[in-house]
């Protein structure tokens, strides 16, 4: 017998028939004698609908703005998961399974006060553990918690993944299964490269890089939590037949296991290729090369919640002037330019330039730590295809390359092939 947390995303619970299918997955694990908790997202499209209602309500009510109270945003948007958890509990009960729905505040999942993007601080899992021990399935509304102001809070988009991993850590689960509309983590996006392979295992660090660099399988914070608390996490497909051979395998079910590096015996040099579209590059020309100039640039950007990624600095021959180039998401360009304009005197640049429509392609693998020439292979392969590199950043286990948007798919396929990832 094991203790398992199962999480089902929006496409998995999109309608009543799919919720019934989810209930069959849960029943399989219950029938095997396991203690089970289930975390659910809102039905597909429901969160977007609720967010739209919140955003439109001020103007519909006569205001000349769309500003709203973030606490009320959470009260509205969290209702999507409440509906799904109740429906799944009903489905399980109809199948003869002892099940009960739980909201985030009932457990409680305690968060900070950042409504709309709260972070989990603590989960009081004793009651859930007791009920699971008595044979009851806990069906938990993902994405939501309880803030210090005693009001509902939400964890940001994709937050149900984080809920599931955090609950798995709190109840000391043997496994956390993230069911989604794909059957695992692939070496790259199969829609771009049909030869992409599903990985049997991937290290926490690699998955963290993949998630933060464009792979949409898991939310970044959920991977961070899994890595910190060593929660063995499987990415699985909810669209597989719940009773298909191997689906009930406790140790090696179909899907991709995200685990500690030590569990992976044969480590590839490169594990996968990720990409992120809609990157923009901002360049500040002819800055005075003096202490504090970087803080003057990136401090105000951070205060305005603008995420800066790749940073390149070029110093003039006499060392008196420097150019600073960095990337931000395309959606933040106008905001970043405004912030930099407001701080021009303090920063001291002559000219500001920007370019949108860029793509960041990343090569990821823990095997890169002990192998030389990985970067050179990428640069040579891209050069042979005539792809110009605008910026490069590296870490122990990743190389990120900024290129023009139209070359994104060619670059992904080229890098996937040059590292042999297209070979089984």
């Amino acid at each position: 017998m094991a203790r398992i947390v199962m999480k089902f995303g929006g496409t998995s619970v999109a309608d009543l028939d799919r919720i019934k299918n989810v209930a069959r997955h849960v029943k399989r694990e219950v029938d095997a004698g396991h203690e089970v908790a289930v975390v659910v997202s809102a039905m597909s499209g429901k969160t977007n609908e609720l967010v739209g209602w919140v955003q439109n309500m001020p103007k519909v009510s006569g205001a000349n703005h769309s500003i709203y109270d973030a606490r009320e945003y959470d009260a509205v948007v969290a209702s999507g998961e409440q509906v799904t958890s109740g429906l799944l509990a009903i489905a399980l009960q109809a199948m003869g399974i002892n099940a009960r729905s739980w909201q985030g505040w009932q457990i409680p999942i305690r968060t900070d006060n950042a409504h709309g993007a709260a972070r989990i601080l603590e989960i009081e899992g004793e009651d859930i553990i007791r009920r699971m021990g008595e044979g009851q399935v806990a069906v938990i509304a993902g994405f939501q918690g309880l803030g210090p102001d005693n009001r509902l809070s939400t964890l940001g988009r994709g937050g149900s993944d984080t809920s599931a991993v955090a609950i798995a850590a709190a109840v000391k689960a043997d496994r956390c299964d993230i069911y989604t509309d794909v059957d695992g983590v692939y070496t790259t996006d199969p829609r771009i490269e049909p030869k992409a392979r599903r990985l049997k295992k991937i290290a926490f660090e690699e998955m963290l890089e993949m998630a933060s660099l464009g792979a949409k399988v898991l939310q970044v914070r959920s991977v961070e939590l899994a890595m910190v608390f060593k929660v063995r996490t499987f990415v699985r497909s909810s669209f597989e037949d719940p009773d298909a051979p191997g689906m009930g395998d406790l140790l090696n079910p179909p899907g991709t296991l995200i685990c500690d590096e030590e569990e992976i015996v044969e480590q590839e040099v490169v594990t996968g290729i990720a990409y992120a579209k809609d990157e923009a590059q901002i360049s500040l020309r002819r800055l005075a090369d003096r202490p504090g100039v970087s803080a003057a640039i990136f401090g105000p950007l951070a205060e305005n919640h603008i995420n800066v990624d790749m940073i390149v600095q070029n110093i003039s021959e006499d060392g008196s002037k420097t150019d600073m180039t960095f990337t931000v998401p395309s959606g933040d360009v106008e905001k970043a330019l405004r912030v930099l304009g407001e701080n021009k005197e303090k920063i001291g640049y002559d000219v500001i330039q920007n370019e949108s429509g860029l793509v960041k392609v990343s090569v990821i693998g823990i095997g890169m730590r002990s192998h030389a020439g990985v970067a050179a292979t990428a640069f040579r392969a891209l050069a042979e295809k005539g792809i110009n590199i605008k910026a490069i950043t590296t870490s122990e286990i990743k190389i990120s390359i900024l290129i023009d948007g139209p070359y994104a798919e060619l670059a992904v396929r080229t890098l996937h092939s040059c590292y042999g990832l297209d070979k089984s």
Side-chain angles (χ1 to χ4, degrees), residues 8-80:
F8 294 90
T11 53
S12 303
V13 293
D15 54 39
L16 297 186
D17 283 335
R18 289 192 181 177
I19 291 173
K20 174 189 171 185
N21 188 60
V22 164
R24 290 178 59 211
H25 280 287
V26 177
K27 185 176 186 299
R28 180 191 65 235
E29 305 298 352
V30 173
D31 289 347
H34 302 313
E35 296 179 0
V36 179
V38 188
V39 177
V40 290
S41 298
M43 298 165 85
S44 182
K46 179 56 67 176
T47 300
N48 287 340
E49 181 183 34
L50 294 169
V51 170
W53 289 353
V54 171
Q55 292 173 338
N56 289 331
M57 196 70 249
K59 289 189 176 179
V60 169
S61 302
N64 60 359
H65 58 74
S66 56
I67 299 169
Y68 50 82
D69 189 324
R71 291 165 296 188
E72 304 310 332
Y73 168 94
D74 280 354
V76 174
V77 176
S79 66

Side-chain angles (χ1 to χ4, degrees), residues 193-222:
E193 175 49 86
K195 294 179 181 177
R197 293 181 292 110
R198 188 179 74 191
L199 299 163
K200 279 199 71 173
K201 294 182 180 180
I202 183 171
F204 289 125
E205 287 179 87
E206 293 173 319
M207 191 65 236
L208 187 58
E209 293 287 5
M210 294 277 278
S212 64
L213 293 167
K216 305 296 184 186
V217 179
L218 286 175
Q219 194 213 38
V220 174
R221 272 194 290 163
S222 70

Side-chain angles (χ1 to χ4, degrees), residues 368-380:
M368 290 165 58
R369 289 177 179 149
S370 54
H371 286 77
V374 178
T377 299
F379 303 153
R380 184 166 53 249

Side-chain angles (χ1 to χ4, degrees), residues 104-117:
W105 60 268
Q106 291 175 301
I107 295 175
I109 298 171
R110 300 197 179 277
T111 72
D112 62 19
N113 212 21
H115 285 280

